Amino acid sequence: TPVDDYVRLLDRARGGGLDVVMDARVAIHGADISRRPERHYLGRVFATFASMILGMAIYDTQCGAKVFRRTAALVEALEEPFRSRWAFDVEILGRLLTGPEGRPGIDPRLVREIPLESWHDRPGSKVRAIDMVRVAGELVLIARDVRKRRASR
């Protein structure tokens, strides 16, 4: 992710009083987004499941550019180790949105995605079939955790 996009994320977080701001690789007019079709469609399937787990529309949880406001909710969300290796983005969003046991999570309106202005897949980046199986297993674990946290509120 270009450094300029991180500056945009920080500006958006500060100016909007947001808790989480994430870039999204959205191929819209005026953006220079280049992704291999198979990566794009695998990402769409993943994002659909992530959205269902989180209970909110998320376009691109796996884009690496994210800014988190340092809040008590963030500190608490980071206290326990992550269960997931590939889907930790979804895991931390689930923890933030549901909150710790007995306390509410952050307001989903304080989470925003903004389209990247430029993104190009790098050659050599591979997602193997076994990785997709692992990610599916991680999403199941995250879904259980989110459901349990919601039940405890």
Side-chain angles (χ1 to χ4, degrees), residues 25 33-44 119-128:
R25 297 165 289 192
I33 307 296
S34 175
R35 298 186 72 195
R36 294 189 320 265
E38 64 274 13
R39 294 294 296 263
H40 171 74
Y41 292 114
L42 284 172
R44 297 305 321 128
W119 176 272
H120 296 269
D121 279 345
R122 293 191 183 254
S125 175
K126 299 178 207 114
V127 176
R128 301 169 303 177

Side-chain angles (χ1 to χ4, degrees), residues 10-48:
L10 285 168
D11 289 346
R12 187 74 181 266
R14 289 178 181 142
L18 301 170
D19 285 346
V20 181
V21 183
M22 308 178 296
D23 268 346
R25 297 165 289 192
V26 183
I28 57 177
H29 182 73
D32 180 24
I33 307 296
S34 175
R35 298 186 72 195
R36 294 189 320 265
E38 64 274 13
R39 294 294 296 263
H40 171 74
Y41 292 114
L42 284 172
R44 297 305 321 128
V45 170
F46 182 91
T48 299

Side-chain angles (χ1 to χ4, degrees), residues 131-141:
D131 296 328
M132 294 307 297
V133 172
R134 287 181 182 138
V135 167
E138 288 181 6
L139 287 177
V140 168
L141 290 174

Side-chain angles (χ1 to χ4, degrees), residues 9 12 16 18-23 56 108-114:
L9 288 175
R12 187 74 181 266
L18 301 170
D19 285 346
V20 181
V21 183
M22 308 178 296
D23 268 346
M56 63 184 288
R109 294 174 295 185
L110 298 178
V111 178
R112 291 283 163 76
E113 286 182 291
I114 60 173

Side-chain angles (χ1 to χ4, degrees), residues 71-80 95-96 99-101 103-104 149:
T71 62
L74 178 64
V75 171
E76 289 173 351
L78 295 174
E79 282 179 348
E80 75 182 80
R95 291 177 184 184
L96 288 170
E101 188 173 329
R103 294 214 316 267
R149 288 171 174 269

